[in-house]
Amino acid sequence: MNYSIDDSTKEFEDELRYLKLLSKQFPTIASASTEIINLQAILNLPKGTEHFLSDIHGECESFKHVLKNGSGNIKRKIKEVYGDTLSENEIKSLATLIYYPEQKLEIIHKQEENIEEWFRITIYRLIEVSRKAAFKYTRMKVRKALPKEFAYIIEELMHRGPEEIDKEEYYSEIIKTIIKIERADEFIIAMSKLIQRLVIDRLHIVGDIFDRGPGADIVMETITNYHSVDIQWGNHDILWMGAAAGSEACIATVIRICARYANLDTIEDGYGINILPLATFALETYSNDDCVAFKPKMENDIICSENDIKLISKMHKAISIIQFKLEGKIIKRRPHFCMDDRLLLNKINYEDGTINLDGKTYELIDKNFPTINPQNPYELNNEEKELIDKLKSSFLNSEKLQKHVRFLFSNGSMYLKFNSNLLYHGCIPVNEDGSFKKVKIGSSGKSYSGKSYFDRLEILVREGYFHKSNLEAKLYGMDLTWYLWTGPDSPLFGKDKMTTFERYFIDDKETHVEKKNPYFKLEDSEKMCKIIFEEFGLNPDTSHIINGHVPVKSKKGESPIRANGKLIVIDGGFSRAYQSTTGIAGYTLIYNSYGLLLVSHDPFESTQVAIEEEKDIHSTTMVLEKEVERKRVRDTDDGEKLIHQIKDLEMLLDAYRSGFIKEQ
């Protein structure tokens, strides 16, 4: 930036105003120069490791274990340091200690005869592993990650160099003193958690944290405390977000799914939501109905008594009928959703227990509808209205749920562009020819497609949760949030319809079919991927699309890698409900400075087995892409920001030296 004395353009004045603000942070030539040197050095560090997961579906134990082991990243670091000197069992023991330090130390204390010697050896090993994990970061970044209690000590030990032989006694004395004053346990725990923190620079969750599994609230609590994370909303996440906003249809659907999988504990114990009113209503309304078609699926080793199963079945049916009524109200008030084919309660012949669909009559499995008025089937009766009001109040006043959903809003989005990767959960609605489908949103009838459709949806979902003054805007946002769960052009759902009613009430599987959007037939096309990259402003030659949502049937030969490596589907079956279909227990993706690694995982037995038997998840790693030259920070999105900062600082230096701004 070279100023001349007659510079008086508005552009110059704006730049000068900005530089004056910047000068408050860097008030001297020396401070600005130091920062330039620092940023320039950071640009040449290896890029941090990114970790991609999707479709966790409440499987908190598997999720936490994969997070703790960094999809095998910690064991790789141990092998890089000690692969030639430690046995496989010793490597396994050290890895288990790093994953579960508190629990493993309890066992060690009972087993080790010379605990002080074990402490000494282990601390030295942890220091070496932490040094390996930290080498790609600046000292400042590592310092910020250090546990406050041991920050000074860890920093001293981690930065011990080979040339510091004369200080060996100094370092040895530090470790000896830690053991002597009985702080070794706490120090090992701190070191282990530091290593977990350092092996992953950023976590990406490509949707579907909630439903099916027993611990979605635990997964969310873990994520909210994670050092760097982003979330691309999935259809199951958006459902809970709508429920937290107060959408009655979303609330009913959330409860129905939890009842279907005997997972009501997530609602009651996890989020403190009172569902006793539902139990009371169900027992009274369906006292003489066994609700056989609504018997819960027991997929998570859940043990229920026969009486509990009967109660859950009644609750399941009661909330399902309420859900169908509430959905009908939305469909009727939003005709542009084009979901009239989902209005089914008015198609039932309540006298003979049949339903007519597409000109064909089907006998219903369950013919007992005590709460439905055939003349006005979508109207809630007084008891149902009272019940849904109570449930809505519980959802709105669940402090923990609201905290987690606010985190989903602050750290989440419909899609993310990050380091040449495009992340979204499901699909981009397209026509049969691969062109982006135009979808009408709002009463104005304006259509959106591709990126603009995603952007508009996100704005409206946020309005549905955050809008307070404009009640109509809030209601529309909530209705659209429900639509994203189940609508025919929802990029989070990706099917023409959700056949929930048919699966409960009609035995003919022909009625259960849900037709996928053409996107899923075209996702193996490099041409389509190129069109998507261009739509989102990414380089087609260097970019990837990363999806979840549809489980990859590995045991049937399906590959998660599509379009010659341009698109990667990482839903491999974290949820136990899908593992019989996929044949594995999930995919995770690692993107480090050397390239892209796809990791497939075998089922996780339990945390207890992992600790006591030192049994890690067996994972298979496949190298998808290997960089010819190691990627540096300068090659990343963060690097691009740093380059702009350097240019701004160079302009500030020029302004100081030209006399336009005075040093402070």
Side-chain angles (χ1 to χ4, degrees):
M1 177 179 181
N2 293 310
Y3 293 114
S4 59
I5 198 70
D6 62 345
D7 278 324
S8 58
T9 63
K10 182 162 190 319
E11 183 182 353
F12 168 73
E13 290 172 358
D14 289 343
E15 282 185 349
L16 197 59
R17 191 178 299 114
Y18 166 69
L19 292 175
K20 283 179 179 177
L21 288 172
L22 189 61
S23 71
K24 295 183 183 299
Q25 189 176 355
F26 303 99
T28 65
I29 288 175
S31 61
S33 300
T34 300
E35 184 66 4
I36 289 172
I37 294 165
N38 176 45
L39 296 180
Q40 197 68 52
I42 291 172
L43 288 174
N44 291 288
L45 288 170
K47 80 172 283 296
T49 299
E50 299 171 58
H51 196 186
F52 301 78
L53 292 82
S54 84
D55 297 87
I56 298 155
H57 286 299
E59 295 292 345
C60 55
E61 283 202 357
S62 301
F63 167 73
K64 290 179 82 170
H65 186 81
V66 167
L67 215 56
K68 286 174 181 292
N69 77 1
S71 286
N73 214 15
I74 285 177
K75 196 169 279 186
R76 282 192 287 272
K77 297 294 181 192
I78 295 172
K79 287 182 177 179
E80 285 172 15
V81 179
Y82 290 115
D84 296 330
T85 55
L86 294 183
S87 68
E88 190 60 37
N89 282 339
E90 287 174 315
I91 289 172
K92 196 163 62 170
S93 292
L94 183 57
T96 306
L97 175 69
I98 294 170
Y99 307 158
Y100 302 102
E102 296 96 337
Q103 299 92 325
K104 195 63 184 171
L105 281 166
E106 283 186 32
I107 297 170
I108 295 296
H109 277 288
K110 295 172 184 174
Q111 293 177 343
E112 284 294 329
E113 294 179 5
N114 189 345
I115 192 69
E116 290 190 4
E117 180 62 11
W118 183 89
F119 279 145
R120 188 185 66 79
I121 293 170
T122 300
I123 290 172
Y124 269 114
R125 288 174 178 172
L126 290 173
I127 291 164
E128 293 301 323
V129 176
S130 67
R131 188 179 295 141
K132 185 68 178 177
F135 87 100
K136 63 171 65 175
Y137 304 120
T138 63
R139 284 198 181 191
M140 176 66 76
K141 186 162 184 173
V142 174
R143 192 175 293 129
K144 288 179 180 178
L146 296 176
K148 290 181 181 178
E149 191 176 9
F150 296 107
Y152 170 74
I153 297 168
I154 294 174
E155 190 169 13
E156 283 288 288
L157 293 170
M158 279 181 66
H159 296 296
R160 174 174 62 95
E163 72 285 351
E164 294 179 325
I165 296 172
D166 292 341
K167 292 177 72 175
E168 194 58 45
E169 281 191 32
Y170 166 71
Y171 298 118
S172 178
E173 195 59 38
I174 289 175
I175 294 171
K176 193 185 297 182
T177 305
I178 290 169
I179 297 167
K180 181 181 177 182
I181 63 173
E182 299 183 353
R183 296 290 288 166
D185 279 12
E186 291 79 5
F187 187 78
I188 287 169
I189 291 167
M191 287 295 299
S192 298
K193 292 185 176 178
L194 174 65
I195 293 166
Q196 289 182 30
R197 159 72 176 78
L198 292 174
V199 295
I200 300 298
D201 193 41
R202 182 156 180 150
L203 173 65
H204 306 284
I205 297 181
V206 194
D208 276 1
I209 295 163
F210 287 90
D211 293 332
R212 289 189 178 270
D217 58 304
I218 298 169
V219 174
M220 278 303 306
E221 195 65 22
T222 304
I223 293 170
T224 57
N225 293 312
Y226 204 74
H227 58 273
S228 178
V229 62
D230 55 70
I231 303 150
Q232 293 69 60
W233 303 327
N235 54 320
H236 288 268
D237 307 319
I238 211 80
L239 183 64
W240 281 76
M241 291 160 69
S247 165
E248 294 176 356
C250 290
I251 289 168
T253 309
V254 160
I255 298 171
R256 177 187 65 78
I257 293 171
C258 286
R260 181 174 177 80
Y261 294 97
N263 187 24
L264 291 167
D265 286 352
T266 297
I267 294 177
E268 289 187 288
D269 300 334
Y271 287 116
I273 291 167
N274 182 17
I275 57 169
L276 181 60
L278 173 59
T280 304
F281 171 82
L283 283 170
E284 291 175 356
T285 306
Y286 298 99
S287 57
N288 298 318
D289 187 343
D290 288 336
C291 305
V292 176
F294 293 86
K295 186 177 179 180
K297 294 176 181 289
M298 316 295 279
E299 292 181 340
N300 288 286
D301 301 327
I302 296 169
I303 299 173
C304 287
S305 68
E306 193 60 37
N307 285 336
D308 283 342
I309 291 172
K310 286 180 179 178
L311 173 59
I312 294 171
S313 301
K314 294 177 192 294
M315 294 167 70
H316 187 186
K317 181 175 180 179
I319 201 66
S320 297
I321 298 300
I322 290 171
Q323 175 193 319
F324 299 139
K325 289 183 176 184
L326 293 169
E327 288 178 335
K329 290 180 180 295
I330 296 176
I331 293 166
K332 286 184 172 185
R333 70 171 169 256
R334 310 295 180 195
H336 59 281
F337 283 0
C338 301
M339 294 181 67
D340 284 358
D341 64 321
R342 294 290 84 209
L343 294 172
L344 301 178
L345 298 185
N346 55 300
K347 294 182 173 67
I348 297 173
N349 184 324
Y350 291 92
E351 290 183 4
D352 62 11
T354 61
I355 188 168
N356 188 280
L357 298 178
D358 300 321
K360 190 173 180 180
T361 300
Y362 300 91
E363 185 174 358
L364 298 177
I365 296 169
D366 185 325
K367 303 175 183 180
N368 183 33
F369 300 101
T371 67
I372 294 180
N373 174 5
Q375 277 68 52
N376 193 0
Y378 298 102
E379 185 67 30
L380 297 176
N381 66 28
N382 291 333
E383 291 79 10
E384 288 172 321
K385 286 177 185 175
E386 185 180 346
L387 170 61
I388 205 68
D389 283 344
K390 288 178 180 177
L391 292 171
K392 182 176 176 179
S393 177
S394 288
F395 272 79
L396 290 173
N397 290 292
S398 168
E399 188 176 335
K400 190 174 179 182
L401 176 62
Q402 296 299 331
K403 169 192 161 187
H404 287 172
V405 167
R406 284 194 298 272
F407 186 85
L408 285 171
F409 276 108
S410 61
N411 289 67
S413 55
M414 287 289 295
Y415 69 93
L416 178 70
K417 296 190 295 179
F418 196 82
N419 291 342
S420 295
N421 291 316
L422 177 61
L423 285 62
Y424 52 86
H425 177 68
C427 70
I428 298 176
V430 297
N431 299 304
E432 291 289 343
D433 64 358
S435 59
F436 296 124
K437 187 171 184 180
K438 293 182 178 180
V439 185
K440 288 182 180 180
I441 300 180
S443 55
S444 67
K446 186 174 179 180
S447 294
Y448 299 82
S449 64
K451 180 178 179 295
S452 68
Y453 183 42
F454 275 68
D455 291 336
R456 186 60 185 153
L457 289 173
E458 181 164 335
I459 290 169
L460 293 172
V461 167
R462 291 181 184 278
E463 285 185 358
Y465 183 79
F466 290 106
H467 231 310
K468 303 296 180 187
S469 56
N470 189 333
L471 295 182
E472 178 51 41
K474 181 174 178 63
L475 179 62
Y476 187 82
M478 289 194 295
D479 287 354
L480 191 78
T481 302
W482 169 81
Y483 177 89
L484 286 174
W485 156 251
T486 187
D489 291 314
S490 163
L492 305 185
F493 177 48
K495 298 179 184 178
D496 65 334
K497 59 187 173 184
M498 190 178 289
T499 57
T500 306
F501 179 92
E502 291 90 332
R503 290 168 190 267
Y504 283 126
F505 289 101
I506 303 174
D507 200 32
D508 191 334
K509 289 189 170 16
E510 184 182 274
T511 65
H512 302 178
V513 175
E514 299 169 347
K515 184 182 176 184
K516 291 180 182 177
N517 185 271
Y519 171 94
F520 296 101
K521 288 191 293 186
L522 299 168
E523 64 182 351
D524 205 25
S525 162
E526 285 189 67
K527 181 182 176 182
M528 190 187 82
C529 290
K530 182 181 179 182
I531 292 169
I532 292 171
F533 291 137
E534 289 173 347
E535 171 74 4
F536 284 83
L538 289 165
N539 183 344
D541 297 326
T542 58
S543 301
H544 305 87
I545 295 167
I546 301 171
N547 283 167
H549 189 51
V550 179
V552 178
K553 300 179 180 69
S554 297
K555 72 177 187 179
K556 292 186 178 180
E558 279 189 7
S559 170
I561 305 161
R562 315 282 164 84
N564 200 23
K566 288 296 178 187
L567 189 149
I568 306 160
V569 182
I570 60 170
D571 180 5
F574 245 113
S575 171
R576 294 188 195 184
Y578 296 125
Q579 287 172 14
S580 60
T581 302
T582 62
I584 59 171
Y587 288 109
T588 53
L589 191 67
I590 297 289
Y591 183 26
N592 60 25
S593 57
Y594 294 107
L596 277 170
L597 307 174
L598 183 69
V599 186
S600 64
H601 305 283
D602 285 350
F604 180 64
E605 287 191 48
S606 70
T607 301
Q608 184 178 352
V609 170
I611 295 164
E612 293 178 356
E613 299 180 21
E614 298 182 339
K615 195 170 183 180
D616 205 345
I617 290 180
H618 180 263
S619 304
T620 305
T621 302
M622 179 195 308
V623 178
L624 296 184
E625 285 187 6
K626 190 169 184 178
E627 298 294 338
V628 177
E629 290 186 12
R630 195 172 188 188
K631 271 197 179 291
R632 304 285 168 177
V633 172
R634 68 167 58 255
D635 304 313
T636 68
D637 292 350
D638 286 341
E640 190 176 336
K641 292 174 187 174
L642 294 181
I643 289 168
H644 285 301
Q645 289 177 33
I646 290 169
K647 287 180 180 177
D648 290 346
L649 288 164
E650 287 173 342
M651 289 167 60
L652 179 61
L653 280 182
D654 199 5
Y656 279 142
R657 287 165 177 159
S658 302
F660 286 100
I661 298 176
K662 293 179 181 179
E663 291 185 87
Q664 302 299 311

